[in-house]
């Protein structure tokens, strides 16, 4: 059943505390691997980041260029990228992405408009406050309004979503198995699914810069789905019908120093607490603030995901765990921005399935032998996710709402 209340999310707060167990781990061929400082493999595309930067990376690097729209048909290049993606998703669940087509100037502009917006007086930022239309899930959230695992996060943000038409989302499909939502639950979803984004008037080029970036990232998300299909030995276009109306989300996020969080109003332990993401791929543009983003590795240790010029950071969402029977698993991560001399910005684009997409575990030869999920693995997750990991399937929209309920508290 759906949660009764919509509570906005994301960088993304409020996800499961436990790390999803890993499935099969197939290493890339030795000839295709190079090691970073931690001994982890650096795959295809490391050269594009720059030799000095790549030498210090603790995460894999994947070059998505061969799968981008308009790229030359190069079977060998696609195979290399697919092998790199497969290894990265099994090894870390986090990787650096190059070959995405965004210029350094575009990314710098993105952070410029973000920093200019967050520097505005509070009253001007709250002209687009999410609290004025909470059912839509869109708009500006003040510092401390996001909550992860019952604790306030010390960041502010603007949330944006796809704006599908009535014809582009079949809400009635959620009344059928596997979701079986009641009519009253469908009505609670309607203002969120068909809500409208709120855009700030200042800076004047905010809308143009960010919307262009979101459009580019949607293309990157589609390319990642094609690359994953190749990695899993599926036909080209296999995932297309499930993501062709992607219910994407984007967050423009500002992180002041964590030490500045006030002691009143409840505990604040992190800029964004430990969580996993909900859909397919999170494509993150970080500014150059070091030491803030952290991810947990398969051996249980935390590693810092440092900014790398020209590269986005990508991590996996819950739907990849379902499709691949945990061969690819969503990786818990957190943010702790403790640099007193910095105000960190990041722009996260969440490439998601269609809201009404039915997600089932894949059944193909590349996934034979993947580990079966136990109830303990998902005891802090959602009922739709537990059902899907047992083979019963879920509708993406029901999982999204089950995850975000209770993860938001408006500041008085």
């Amino acid at each position: 059943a759906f949660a009764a209340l919509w509570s906005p999310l994301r960088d993304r707060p409020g996800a499961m505390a436990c790390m999803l167990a890993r499935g099969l781990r197939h290493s890339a061929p030795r000839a295709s691997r190079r090691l970073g400082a931690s001994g982890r493999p650096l795959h295809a595309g490391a050269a594009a980041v720059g030799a000095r930067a790549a030498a210090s990376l603790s995460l894999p690097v994947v070059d998505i260029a061969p799968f981008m729209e308009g790229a030359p048909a190069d079977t060998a290049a696609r195979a290399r990228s697919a092998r790199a993606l497969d290894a990265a998703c099994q090894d870390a669940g986090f990787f650096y992405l190059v070959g995405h087509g965004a210029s350094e100037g575009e990314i710098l502009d993105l952070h410029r408009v973000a920093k200019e917006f967050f520097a505005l007086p509070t009253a001007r930022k709250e002209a687009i406050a999410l609290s004025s239309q909470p059912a839509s899930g869109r708009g500006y959230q003040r510092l401390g309004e996001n909550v992860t695992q019952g604790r306030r996060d010390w960041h502010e943000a603007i949330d944006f979503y796809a704006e599908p038409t009535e014809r582009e989302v079949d809400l009635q499909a959620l009344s059928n198995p596997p979701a079986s939502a009641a009519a009253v639950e469908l009505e609670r979803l309607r203002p969120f699914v068909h809500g409208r984004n709120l855009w700030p008037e200042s800076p004047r080029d905010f809308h143009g810069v960010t919307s262009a970036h979101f459009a580019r990232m949607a293309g990157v998300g589609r390319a990642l789905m094609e690359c994953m299909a190749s990695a899993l030995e599926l036909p080209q276009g296999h995932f297309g019908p499930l993501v062709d109306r992607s219910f994407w989300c984007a967050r423009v996020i500002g992180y002041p120093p964590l030490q500045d969080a006030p002691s009143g109003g409840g505990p604040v332990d992190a800029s964004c607490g430990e969580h996993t993401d909900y859909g397919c791929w999170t494509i993150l543009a970080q500014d150059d603030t070091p030491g803030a983003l952290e991810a947990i590795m398969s051996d249980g240790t935390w590693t810092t995901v440092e900014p790398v010029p020209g590269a986005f950071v990508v991590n996996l969402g819950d739907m990849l765990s379902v499709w691949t029977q945990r061969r690819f698993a969503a990786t818990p991560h957190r943010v702790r921005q403790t640099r007193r001399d910095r105000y960190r910005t990041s722009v996260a684009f969440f490439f998601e399935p269609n809201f009404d997409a039915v997600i089932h575990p894949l059944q193909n030869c590349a996934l034979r032998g993947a580990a079966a999920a136990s109830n303990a693995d998902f005891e802090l997750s959602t009922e739709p996710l537990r059902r899907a990991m047992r083979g019963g399937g879920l509708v993406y929209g029901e999982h999204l709402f089950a995850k975000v309920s209770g993860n938001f508290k408006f500041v008085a």
Side-chain angles (χ1 to χ4, degrees):
F2 291 105
L5 298 176
W6 155 249
S7 298
L9 40 120
R10 309 247 188 158
D11 193 1
R12 292 192 191 183
M16 62 184 83
C18 63
M19 178 175 137
L20 301 183
R22 303 289 175 175
L24 297 177
R25 303 191 179 281
H26 304 297
S27 298
R30 289 183 180 272
S32 71
R33 305 173 81 196
R34 293 191 291 118
L35 299 180
S38 70
R40 295 189 180 277
L42 298 178
H43 304 289
V49 182
R52 174 178 290 183
S56 65
L57 297 183
S58 59
L59 294 176
V61 180
V62 174
D63 186 351
I64 197 61
F67 286 91
M68 292 294 290
E69 185 176 356
D74 187 331
T75 302
R78 283 186 162 222
R80 286 193 297 271
S81 291
R83 287 195 299 270
L85 183 76
D86 189 39
C89 290
Q90 294 182 71
D91 175 41
F94 258 77
F95 55 89
Y96 292 103
L97 187 74
V98 299
H100 45 67
S103 70
E104 182 179 0
E106 292 173 32
I107 298 171
L108 289 174
D109 267 352
L110 195 62
H111 291 292
R112 173 185 57 79
V113 297
K115 292 178 191 297
E116 288 179 7
F117 172 80
F118 291 123
L120 293 173
T122 299
R124 294 188 65 185
K125 291 185 285 189
E126 291 192 335
I128 57 166
L130 189 153
S131 58
S132 67
Q133 52 166 38
S136 77
R138 295 158 169 86
Y140 168 72
Q141 306 108 59
R142 292 160 58 181
L143 289 165
E145 286 188 339
N146 283 281
V147 177
T148 302
Q149 298 184 36
R151 293 178 177 266
R152 293 187 301 142
D153 295 319
W154 196 240
H155 68 261
E156 55 185 327
I158 316 174
D159 283 12
F160 303 92
Y161 283 88
E163 298 176 321
T165 65
E166 293 281 345
R167 292 184 177 182
E168 289 175 321
V169 175
D170 181 10
L171 283 179
Q172 288 303 314
L174 279 76
S175 65
N176 302 320
S180 301
V184 65
E185 295 170 329
L186 297 183
E187 288 308 306
R188 293 192 186 105
L189 300 181
R190 193 174 302 279
F192 169 60
V193 174
H194 298 299
R196 310 301 295 178
N197 290 319
L198 301 176
W199 299 93
E201 293 184 357
S202 181
R204 295 186 65 179
D205 57 346
F206 184 100
H207 189 170
V209 169
T210 55
S211 60
H213 176 74
F214 301 162
R216 185 186 292 279
M217 292 305 99
V220 173
R222 291 190 293 269
L224 284 166
M225 297 305 299
E226 284 295 301
C227 189
M228 184 172 77
S230 181
L232 299 178
E233 302 174 16
L234 295 167
Q236 184 176 354
H238 176 86
F239 293 105
L242 299 172
V243 300
D244 58 352
R245 295 169 286 112
S246 169
F247 193 70
W248 57 261
C249 172
R251 298 197 85 211
V252 179
I253 313 164
Y255 298 93
L258 184 57
Q259 299 92 322
D260 293 347
S263 57
V268 177
D269 298 327
S271 304
C272 186
E274 180 183 343
H275 61 281
T276 59
D277 293 339
Y278 306 164
C280 300
W281 310 96
T282 301
I283 308 166
L284 182 70
Q286 301 189 84
D287 72 3
D288 59 358
T289 304
L293 177 62
E294 299 174 338
I296 196 166
M297 297 292 97
S298 57
D299 61 3
T301 61
W302 287 92
T303 190
T304 301
V305 184
E306 298 290 2
V308 173
F312 294 127
V313 173
V314 175
N315 64 272
L316 284 57
D318 292 335
M319 296 304 96
L320 271 60
S321 298
V322 174
W323 272 319
T324 67
Q325 303 171 57
R326 297 182 304 156
R327 174 171 172 167
F328 301 164
T331 301
H333 50 285
R334 65 191 181 194
V335 179
R336 292 180 55 83
Q337 201 302 82
T338 58
R339 291 289 297 266
R340 287 192 175 277
D341 60 336
R342 302 297 296 268
Y343 182 96
R344 177 180 184 257
T345 54
S346 69
V347 179
F349 185 89
F350 304 92
F351 186 80
E352 314 293 52
N354 304 339
F355 192 88
D356 52 10
V358 180
I359 311 296
H360 291 282
L362 293 165
Q363 303 294 329
N364 70 317
C365 59
L367 294 170
R368 286 176 185 166
S374 70
N375 291 343
D377 289 335
F378 303 99
E379 62 182 359
L380 297 179
S381 188
T382 70
E383 177 54 36
L385 186 59
R386 289 192 290 271
R387 182 204 315 138
M389 293 304 297
R390 298 186 193 111
L394 61 79
V395 178
Y396 175 63
E398 63 165 334
H399 172 60
L400 171 64
F401 270 73
K403 290 289 279 187
V404 303
S405 180
N407 293 336
F408 198 84
K409 182 183 293 185
F410 294 121
V411 178

